[in-house]
Amino acid sequence: MSQVEGCPNVFQAVYAVPLGCHEYKFFVDGEWRHDERQPHKTVEYGIVNTFDAIPIHAEVPLVHPRSEILNNMEVDNGLMHRVSAVTLNQAMPRISEEDVTASRHRIAVYLQAHTAYELLPESGKVVALDVALPVKQAFHILSEQGIPLAPLWDFRKGKFVGVITASDFILILRELVNNRSNLTEEELETHSIAAWKEGKAYLNGQVDGHGRPIPKELIYVSVQYSDLHASPSENLKDVALKILQSGVAIVPIIHLEDGLFPQLLHLASLAGILKCICRYVKHCPSSLPILQLPIYAIPLGTWVPRIGESSSRPFAMLRLTASLSSALDMLVEAHVSSIPIVDDNDSLVDVYCRSDIMALAKGRAYTHNLNEMTVHQALQLGLDSNPPYGTRSQRCQMCLRTDTLLKVMEQLANPGVRRLVIVEAGSNRVEGITSLTDIF
């Protein structure tokens, strides 16, 4: 059961039932009980509650223009998503353009006044890999360290040249499954990271007029070259803009000094910057009116369209029985970082993320036929392995459409949380998804 909106001590679960007469009981603290305040009768199972399910014609409420409320909504990808026509009775919360501008200005001023030094932890480690390492070894190292990506160091050039990410391994496995390249599983033993990056450039047709790979396209979009590195002297706004405009997950914070090798200090991310923002707004929430708006009124994130709505883009969702290869294809082709995994009622069961590919390193599971492995089996591999998987509750981070922007920001500022699945109270039916990028 899930907590009912606005009622901290009330929990409920919602199920669809066919027409007709139904009997039910409650299992409370190991004991079967019935509700004495509701209709009940004695049957072979003792005293049970009863009710008749009759058809109720839902009245579809008047909604505001799609461009005003449901901008960038996405439709369910072939899953016949059943969305309730019931909406909140209260009027749509509003905020003036002046208040929006004032809120943005305050945040911008804060970010410009603080530098990337504030992102550096008091202690910690940063893992970097040599581009000469075999791809397979890199796969296992990241899995053992519990991290989805690592900067790449080129000893020959004496500098950091890019980043290898979970997306690289997804692309490699897709090539192996689809037999669209000469790369074989055995070649993973000897093929270096540098060779993969170059091979990917050829596969993507990123070559110059002489058939040579174009240097800037050798590395995936997550890669940052030296001119994009976030120097500790840069302010947080500049760092955030580099991440957003480059379409990457992190930018390295590198200490540069004449005559010395560059030193990798930290990996700047939107999560770290959001944590700084939350510390700031904690002391002055009333001065930022937009923080008190519910996310559905902004709107924030990507939403499943409601009745009468349409969209040109699919909303990615999958069942547990879907093949792992279909999940990998969806991650790449839909350009998303995670996919909600739902049951037959479209209620959230789990989430499959790009970084979950690392679980396949355990026991060389990536050598199996990914068309035959289900999403459920792939997720189970992760649950059986080491962090960052953790428990299901840690992985399925959820929020409600009525949650305020501030509450969502505080949830996303927690370590390891990169996205929240927006669910319907009670049924956990997926209504949308919001991420760090949406916040920024």
Side-chain angles (χ1 to χ4, degrees):
M1 295 191 290
S2 301
Q3 181 179 327
V4 176
E5 294 180 48
C7 304
N9 297 321
V10 179
F11 294 79
Q12 70 177 11
V14 179
Y15 291 93
V17 295
L19 301 181
C21 182
H22 296 272
E23 302 170 354
Y24 65 96
K25 298 184 76 169
F26 298 96
F27 194 65
V28 184
D29 297 332
E31 179 184 354
W32 285 103
R33 300 174 60 182
H34 69 281
D35 187 349
E36 297 178 355
R37 297 167 299 178
Q38 301 297 329
H40 55 273
K41 66 179 182 180
T42 302
V43 296
E44 59 180 312
Y45 301 108
I47 301 177
V48 299
N49 291 113
T50 64
F51 73 94
D52 291 317
I54 59 176
I56 299 177
H57 299 287
E59 181 180 349
V60 181
L62 178 66
V63 297
H64 293 270
R66 178 174 182 273
S67 59
E68 183 179 346
I69 301 176
L70 302 172
N71 194 25
N72 296 326
M73 300 282 276
E74 298 189 349
V75 299
D76 186 359
N77 188 20
L79 287 179
M80 294 302 294
H81 192 78
R82 294 172 293 279
V83 181
S84 170
V86 179
T87 60
L88 299 173
N89 293 324
Q90 68 263 35
M92 174 74 72
R94 296 294 182 185
I95 184 171
S96 68
E97 188 61 35
E98 291 76 14
D99 284 339
V100 172
T101 302
S103 296
R104 286 175 173 162
H105 177 70
R106 286 180 179 273
I107 296 295
V109 169
Y110 169 81
L111 292 177
Q112 288 172 322
H114 295 76
T115 70
Y117 272 117
E118 302 199 26
L119 300 177
L120 303 182
E122 293 184 2
S123 64
K125 68 177 181 180
V126 182
V127 177
L129 301 180
D130 186 348
V131 292
L133 273 175
V135 169
K136 179 181 176 182
Q137 190 173 345
F139 196 7
H140 284 274
I141 289 174
L142 295 187
S143 174
E144 291 165 3
Q145 294 294 322
I147 54 179
L149 53 81
L152 299 174
W153 172 259
D154 190 324
F155 274 102
R156 183 173 58 84
K157 297 179 179 179
K159 65 179 183 180
F160 293 96
V161 294
V163 176
I164 188 167
T165 72
S167 296
D168 284 299
F169 296 113
I170 289 176
L171 293 173
I172 290 172
L173 293 180
R174 288 183 82 217
E175 290 300 322
L176 293 175
V177 170
N178 299 331
N179 295 318
R180 290 191 286 122
S181 74
N182 294 324
L183 184 65
T184 64
E185 197 278 327
E186 289 73 19
E187 287 178 313
L188 292 177
E189 302 276 357
T190 56
H191 267 237
S192 67
I193 299 172
W196 156 248
K197 295 292 188 180
E198 184 173 333
K200 186 169 67 171
Y202 283 113
L203 287 172
N204 294 335
Q206 298 161 345
V207 295
D208 58 22
H210 301 286
R212 295 188 296 262
I214 302 172
K216 284 192 175 182
E217 298 298 329
L218 278 174
I219 303 185
Y220 193 55
V221 353
S222 299
V223 172
Q224 298 296 301
Y225 288 91
S226 57
D227 61 333
L228 285 178
H229 287 157
S231 168
S233 61
E234 294 186 56
N235 64 56
L236 293 179
K237 181 179 178 181
D238 290 338
V239 176
L241 286 174
K242 284 184 176 180
I243 294 174
L244 293 169
Q245 293 170 354
S246 304
V248 298
I250 59 97
V251 289
I253 298 179
I254 295 178
H255 177 61
L256 299 173
E257 191 172 340
D258 293 340
L260 297 177
F261 281 127
Q263 298 179 45
L264 177 63
L265 302 181
H266 189 57
L267 303 180
S269 66
L270 294 180
I273 300 174
L274 183 61
K275 190 173 182 179
C276 293
I277 294 175
C278 286
R279 283 201 301 264
Y280 164 63
V281 302
K282 181 179 181 181
H283 303 291
C284 56
S286 60
S287 64
L288 297 164
I290 195 173
L291 298 182
Q292 304 308 319
L293 277 183
I295 57 174
Y296 79 92
I298 297 177
L300 183 71
T302 302
W303 296 73
V304 173
R306 292 190 172 267
I307 297 173
E309 297 289 335
S310 61
S311 175
S312 59
R313 297 182 61 195
F315 186 93
M317 287 194 292
L318 285 175
R319 308 280 191 232
L320 284 169
T321 53
S323 69
L324 177 59
S325 62
S326 67
L328 300 184
D329 289 343
M330 189 175 288
L331 286 171
V332 173
E333 294 167 8
H335 302 289
V336 295
S337 62
S338 62
I339 304 171
I341 307 302
V342 298
D343 61 16
D344 291 340
N345 293 318
D346 295 347
S347 296
L348 185 66
V349 175
D350 212 319
V351 176
Y352 194 84
C353 311
R354 288 184 185 180
S355 56
D356 291 336
I357 196 71
M358 297 304 172
L360 297 185
K362 181 181 179 181
R364 292 162 52 93
Y366 52 81
T367 62
H368 300 164
N369 188 333
L370 301 187
N371 287 318
E372 296 179 357
M373 180 180 292
T374 65
V375 170
H376 176 70
Q377 292 171 327
L379 288 169
Q380 194 60 46
L381 281 174
L383 291 173
D384 294 339
S385 62
N386 297 323
Y389 252 77
T391 64
R392 177 182 176 275
S393 61
Q394 291 173 321
R395 290 174 45 77
C396 287
Q397 296 289 335
M398 299 176 286
C399 68
L400 302 177
R401 66 197 324 262
T402 52
D403 286 343
T404 64
L405 174 58
L406 177 60
K407 182 176 181 180
V408 169
M409 287 170 58
E410 290 173 340
Q411 280 186 262
L412 287 170
N414 291 325
V417 181
R418 300 189 60 180
R419 67 200 58 82
L420 297 175
V421 181
I422 306 166
V423 299
E424 180 184 67
S427 67
N428 282 353
R429 191 169 293 161
V430 174
E431 294 192 320
I433 193 166
T434 188
S435 67
L436 286 164
T437 304
D438 294 322
I439 292 288
F440 281 84

